[in-house]
Amino acid sequence: MATGTDQVVGLGLVAVSLLVFTYYTVWVILLPFIDSQHAIHKYFLPRAYAVGIPLAAGLLLLLFVGVFITYVMLKNQKVTRKVQ
């Protein structure tokens, strides 16, 4: 069963994810339909970053997953050699 601390951390992660999702959705879907002179545009990055930031985040995620899998496989290989 989850402790109170786990629930607070989980709630925080959900809140941050919801905030990022809402920001990105407004940025990518709604902002192109709002006049470029409107004051809301100053709260968002240029539209080119809407592709670059998720692309960089995805590549970093793939890199970390690949490094982790490589580390685990090499560690298991060393343990198997010691047993034999």
Side-chain angles (χ1 to χ4, degrees):
M1 193 58 133
T3 63
T5 305
D6 292 339
Q7 291 177 346
V8 170
V9 170
L11 180 64
L13 288 173
V14 169
V16 168
S17 297
L18 183 63
L19 184 67
V20 169
F21 176 76
T22 304
Y23 179 87
Y24 189 77
T25 301
V26 169
W27 183 23
V28 172
I29 296 176
L30 296 179
L31 214 56
F33 297 107
I34 298 174
D35 185 30
S36 62
Q37 302 302 320
H38 197 277
I40 197 169
H41 280 275
K42 68 180 178 181
Y43 298 109
F44 296 91
L45 293 171
R47 225 174 276 141
Y49 290 112
V51 175
I53 291 173
L55 180 66
L59 288 174
L60 280 174
L61 178 68
L62 285 174
L63 174 70
F64 288 133
V65 168
V67 168
F68 176 74
I69 289 173
T70 304
Y71 173 75
V72 170
M73 289 178 65
L74 290 174
K75 187 176 178 181
N76 285 340
Q77 190 177 24
K78 289 178 184 177
V79 170
T80 306
R81 285 184 190 166
K82 288 181 183 178
V83 171
Q84 293 175 353

